[in-house]
Amino acid sequence: ETEAGMLRWVRLSVFTHAHSRQRLVALVDITEQKRVDTAKSEFVALATHQLRTPITGMRWSAELMLVDETEPLSDKQRQYVERLLESIGRLNTLVDDFLNVSRLELGTLTPEPEPVGLAELCDAVLEEQRARISEKQLSIERDYDPEIASITTDPDLLRMAIVNLVSNAAKYTPERGTVTVGFARVGRDVSLTVSDTGMGIPIAEQDRVFEKIFRASNAAQEVPDGTGLGLYIVKEVVDVLHGSITFSSTEGHGTTFTIRLPRSL
């Protein structure tokens, strides 16, 4: 803090020499950068929150058009409305991603631990993805440890992480591929895995997987409408839950993400 009592942010860097015991320590004032970053996050949070109301209104109106029996739509009109609903769904996902990123960066997503049934949670997430899974005729495999009934963690944050992983697995796995969701005991912790037989991640790009707004080159080519925020959100959420996340991937063969969490937060 300064003499005026104002909090300052600094970046500490320590430089060492391979053949010397001397150290060089550098302190850089990043208070203004932090202020700008916070202002950006607050603006995005406010803007995306305000967008939710008109998006909901558009979705309801489009859905009412599909079920209105007084003035039924023609086949061509129905196709247009269904395409509109698909676009609204993508927009809603984008808004949710931006809002979640802003809340994570502002530190307003704090965990509220309670018992969470892992089998029930994973099944619920798979049910949410049923439309895409059915459309692509994906096989779903469950590898649940029956000895783990529940863990104590934040259900909403954990759901957010699993939704992003399962959604990615379904999105980037070709038709008739396989998505596997499982969990098991690892010492005092529990590991949750989401595997797929999808396109995989190029090895030269794997160290950037959890960066914000990064998409692997093959993913961006095959599925142009991704945001590049999903895995960044997963990594940030797992950190909030005092866990860790790792992955293994082979391009053209698939990817496995593994979240390791304490059994009690």
Side-chain angles (χ1 to χ4, degrees):
E1 295 187 10
T2 65
E3 60 267 7
M6 189 174 94
L7 182 67
R8 310 290 297 185
W9 289 87
V10 297
R11 178 183 293 117
L12 171 65
S13 302
V14 180
F15 303 91
T16 61
H17 192 280
H19 306 291
S20 173
R21 299 180 63 182
Q22 294 182 335
R23 303 287 188 271
L24 175 63
V25 179
L27 289 175
V28 179
D29 189 333
I30 59 170
T31 303
E32 182 62 18
Q33 177 184 334
K34 291 291 292 186
R35 187 190 67 78
V36 171
D37 288 344
T38 299
K40 289 179 180 178
S41 295
E42 289 175 344
F43 171 77
V44 172
L46 176 62
T48 51
H49 182 75
Q50 294 299 320
L51 281 171
R52 285 192 169 201
T53 299
I55 289 174
T56 301
M58 288 188 294
R59 184 175 65 245
W60 283 352
S61 297
E63 290 173 347
L64 286 172
M65 291 175 67
L66 288 177
V67 299
D68 187 358
E69 297 181 355
T70 59
E71 296 184 20
L73 301 175
S74 67
D75 290 342
K76 181 64 70 175
Q77 290 172 328
R78 182 171 293 273
Q79 289 179 12
Y80 291 152
V81 175
E82 288 174 349
R83 290 177 188 172
L84 174 61
L85 281 170
E86 290 177 3
S87 297
I88 291 172
R90 288 195 294 269
L91 179 58
N92 191 59
T93 298
L94 180 62
V95 167
D96 284 344
D97 283 348
F98 279 133
L99 183 58
N100 287 330
V101 167
S102 299
R103 292 167 66 192
L104 285 163
E105 292 180 343
L106 290 171
T108 58
L109 275 180
T110 55
E112 298 181 3
E114 63 180 73
V116 179
L118 292 181
E120 293 81 357
L121 177 57
C122 291
D123 284 345
V125 172
L126 289 170
E127 179 64 22
E128 290 177 11
Q129 300 295 319
R130 183 172 60 174
R132 174 173 285 163
I133 290 170
S134 299
E135 179 185 359
K136 301 178 74 174
Q137 301 180 50
L138 301 177
S139 297
I140 301 298
E141 296 184 358
R142 295 170 172 82
D143 186 15
Y144 300 166
D145 186 342
E147 295 185 1
I148 302 178
S150 67
I151 63 173
T152 301
T153 190
D154 187 296
D156 295 330
L157 291 178
L158 182 56
R159 172 186 283 270
M160 190 187 304
I162 298 175
V163 164
N164 274 287
L165 292 181
V166 172
S167 174
N168 277 357
K171 182 187 300 183
Y172 299 119
T173 298
E175 291 186 359
R176 296 182 174 83
T178 301
V179 174
T180 302
V181 179
F183 54 83
R185 187 192 309 271
V186 181
R188 296 181 178 180
D189 299 335
V190 63
S191 68
L192 295 96
T193 58
V194 177
S195 303
D196 63 62
T197 57
M199 64 181 65
I201 304 165
I203 190 168
E205 302 173 13
Q206 291 186 6
D207 60 345
R208 301 187 61 194
V209 160
F210 297 112
E211 290 182 10
K212 184 164 56 175
I213 318 182
F214 171 78
R215 301 188 69 211
S217 56
N218 55 348
Q221 182 176 358
E222 294 292 330
V223 187
D225 64 345
T227 65
L229 294 173
L231 291 177
Y232 172 79
I233 291 172
V234 173
K235 178 64 168 61
E236 294 297 307
V237 165
V238 170
D239 286 345
V240 171
L241 296 178
H242 301 166
S244 61
I245 182 169
T246 57
F247 73 95
S248 60
S249 184
T250 303
E251 188 173 5
H253 294 279
T255 303
T256 297
F257 284 93
T258 301
I259 295 175
R260 183 163 177 168
L261 296 172
R263 295 188 65 189
S264 181
L265 184 61

